[in-house]
Amino acid sequence: MSRPLLEVIALDVEDAVAARTGGADRLELVTDMAADGLTPSPSIFSAVRAAVDLPIRVMLRPRDGFAIGDTADLERLCDTAAELLEAGADEFVIGFLDADGDADLPALGALLTVLGDVRWTFHRALDHAPDRDAVRRALHGLPGLDTLLTAGSAAGVDAGLEVLCGEAAPATA
């Protein structure tokens, strides 16, 4: 059995260096943890990239909540994503729901068009969806998606532990 991957959130170079020293396998680079993590600037990414040799998943999220906003917000986020790619970012964290609480496939598609062939995590939007299974089905097969980040509940792991255990249990025939 392989060892689990230890991903640590970093807000800046100091966090990234401490995470590497502490044994992190990968970083999730964000700003504003009070908003559950927002998009860092390309300059912050570049500084962290220069400081550590760990894989870095960069958050693409313009505001608190799991809605992308309007067309202009999506365009700005796509522009920032392109800047982050140019700075060397090659792994991302994304997660948006539409007004009905379903996976926002048009927003995800627009970002994935900009990002191209990258690996990415669907962020905790899953925890805010009224139908977790529908979101998982909608995401299935999207290019590059290799991780679903979830606490099992919008209220956190303590509230979602039963859901997480149920989802992790082997399927029975």
Side-chain angles (χ1 to χ4, degrees):
M1 178 183 234
S2 64
R3 183 176 76 79
L5 176 83
L6 177 60
E7 181 176 280
V8 176
I9 290 176
L11 295 147
D12 54 28
V13 169
E14 184 178 328
D15 288 349
V17 170
R20 181 193 61 207
T21 301
D25 298 305
R26 180 168 74 198
L27 300 176
E28 180 180 322
L29 185 63
V30 306
T31 62
D32 197 354
M33 283 306 298
D36 206 17
L38 302 180
T39 306
S41 69
S43 62
I44 290 173
F45 168 78
S46 294
V48 169
R49 171 74 296 143
V52 297
D53 59 355
L54 296 172
I56 303 170
R57 294 243 166 149
V58 182
M59 176 66 75
L60 291 175
R61 192 163 163 251
R63 70 176 45 78
D64 195 6
F66 294 94
I68 189 65
D70 61 22
T71 302
D73 293 325
L74 179 57
E75 289 173 2
R76 278 191 296 278
L77 190 59
C78 286
D79 290 345
T80 301
E83 291 173 20
L84 286 160
L85 281 170
E86 189 172 310
D90 60 0
E91 297 184 41
F92 293 88
V93 179
I94 311 165
F96 300 111
L97 301 175
D98 63 20
D100 296 323
D102 297 321
D104 189 340
L105 295 177
L108 290 169
L111 280 166
L112 293 175
T113 297
V114 170
L115 295 175
D117 186 26
V118 300
R119 293 180 299 157
W120 60 283
T121 298
F122 188 77
H123 189 252
R124 287 199 50 219
L126 181 64
D127 294 336
H128 298 265
D131 186 342
R132 293 171 62 86
D133 291 334
V135 169
R136 291 166 80 118
R137 284 190 305 273
L139 297 172
H140 182 75
L142 288 179
L145 175 63
D146 65 3
T147 305
L148 296 174
L149 179 60
T150 178
S153 166
V157 173
D158 286 343
L161 189 56
E162 187 175 327
V163 169
L164 292 172
C165 289
E167 291 176 346
T172 56

